[in-house]
Amino acid sequence: MPELPEAETIARGLRPMLEGRTILDARVVHEDVLPRGAGAFRAKVRGRTITGVGRRGKNLVLSLDDASVILINLGMTGKLLPLPASASEADERGAAGREVIPTHPAIRFRLDDGGSLVYDDVRRFGRVEALAAEKWRERSRRLGPEPLEEEFGSREMMQRLGASRSPIRNVLLDQQRLAGVGNIYANEALHRAKIHPRRPAESLDQEAFARLHGVLREVLTEAIRAEGTTIRDYRNASGRPGRYSRQLQVYDREGQACLRCGETIERIVFGNRSAFLCPRCQPMDPDRASN
DNA sequence: AGTGTATCCTGCAGGC
DNA sequence: TGCCTGCAGGATACAC
């Protein structure tokens, strides 16, 4: 479900309600989202205070007061749902009726303000881990750079992605090369950069990477501004759907007209995922581009 | 090294 | 209504 803009939106929404809260306990409903098991997890988080709410790539990161973190990869359908202490308190905050009710709770964190935080995940592809500071540093080191960091330039992008013979769409999804990009924004960026998703990454020159680098940052920034993309069930921390769905140019638009040239958007499948493209705007052979 | 396939799991839409 | 197939914002493991 979530890519970088959705994770960023969730982190921003949860931050004011979670920072400073102490986790009284974690009740494990579905152990399969805890790769290290329920017992160890509960022992590590019980009694810890949340000092920060952030994001690394697509992962949510709850920083704890002993420098450890709770690392949450939401998979396809994971949600972090804040539940207020009571309905009356929700009224006071003006949040009545807007909170999302958990349908498939996997973990319930009981908080010291009487509220709770529920990790809810229909398909349970998501993973929740408690990592000591050193383990987290190690893990983070294995992830690629943050595409929105100021220092992340097109040269670095070409160095990290440009040596692969794999289709550029697949390479963009590789979290070890670049953190945070998923199928929606990979497809949107490639359309905006007029690059066919199946082009081997190594066939792209510096000019193409400069273009791709620029539009990827634009797309991610605009999607954050719109609070993410809702295709089916993504909701932000306040229960609202993302508005970027309305700005999608190709993703999930098979058979519809390209908003740039009017050609029909195609869906192709490779690497076990759908790719969406405009065959006129994104020719496989750029020399034959008609625009 | 790259690619296709299968797997984890549930729900939903569409065809018949 | 039911049954079937295919599909889904992710990640990984495997055989070729």
Side-chain angles (χ1 to χ4, degrees), chain A residues 8-157:
Chain A
E8 179 64 30
T9 302
I10 292 166
R12 289 180 184 180
L14 291 177
R15 191 168 298 135
M17 1 190 176
L18 292 186
E19 276 183 359
R21 295 278 65 77
T22 294
I23 299 169
L24 301 181
D25 197 9
R27 291 179 44 204
V28 177
V29 184
H30 278 294
E31 191 165 4
D32 42 5
V33 303
L34 300 172
R36 308 244 162 249
F41 180 81
R42 293 183 66 194
K44 284 180 187 164
V45 305
R46 188 185 300 142
R48 297 262 72 92
T49 296
I50 299 169
T51 56
V53 180
R55 166 193 74 72
R56 174 82 171 90
K58 305 172 182 177
N59 305 282
L60 288 164
V61 183
L62 306 184
S63 302
L64 305 181
D65 57 352
D66 63 349
S68 70
V69 303
I70 299 177
L71 180 67
I72 301 155
N73 184 304
L74 298 164
M76 293 282 243
T77 52
K79 297 179 165 88
L80 267 185
L81 308 177
L83 296 185
S86 65
S88 60
E89 193 167 315
D91 284 340
E92 287 169 30
R93 293 191 218 169
R98 269 206 279 126
E99 69 266 24
V100 183
I101 307 302
T103 55
H104 297 73
I107 304 177
R108 297 177 177 274
F109 297 92
R110 213 156 51 79
L111 304 176
D112 63 346
D113 62 353
S116 55
L117 177 69
V118 177
Y119 178 68
D120 187 276
D121 192 345
V122 176
R123 296 173 72 182
R124 300 196 299 282
F125 287 176
R127 290 296 175 263
V128 180
E129 296 174 79
L131 296 175
E134 181 52 30
K135 293 281 183 193
W136 165 230
R137 271 194 295 276
E138 249 171 62
R139 183 74 68 86
S140 183
R141 228 182 292 127
R142 292 208 293 270
L143 290 172
E146 289 289 331
L148 292 182
E149 284 289 298
E150 196 64 42
E151 317 82 76
F152 179 70
S154 68
R155 286 286 307 239
E156 182 181 5
M157 182 157 172

Side-chain angles (χ1 to χ4, degrees), chain A residues 187-196 211 215 218-219 247-250 253 256-265 276-283 289-291:
Chain A
N187 278 282
E188 291 297 309
L190 288 168
H191 176 260
R192 204 178 280 203
K194 301 188 175 182
I195 297 169
H196 194 289
R211 222 163 57 231
V215 299
E218 281 173 17
V219 166
Q247 297 178 58
L248 295 176
Q249 303 291 300
V250 287
R253 296 196 63 239
Q256 300 179 43
C258 173
L259 299 171
R260 187 196 280 146
C261 78
E263 182 63 271
T264 303
I265 301 298
F276 299 86
L277 70 141
C278 168
R280 193 189 298 174
C281 291
Q282 300 165 266
S290 57
N291 52 344

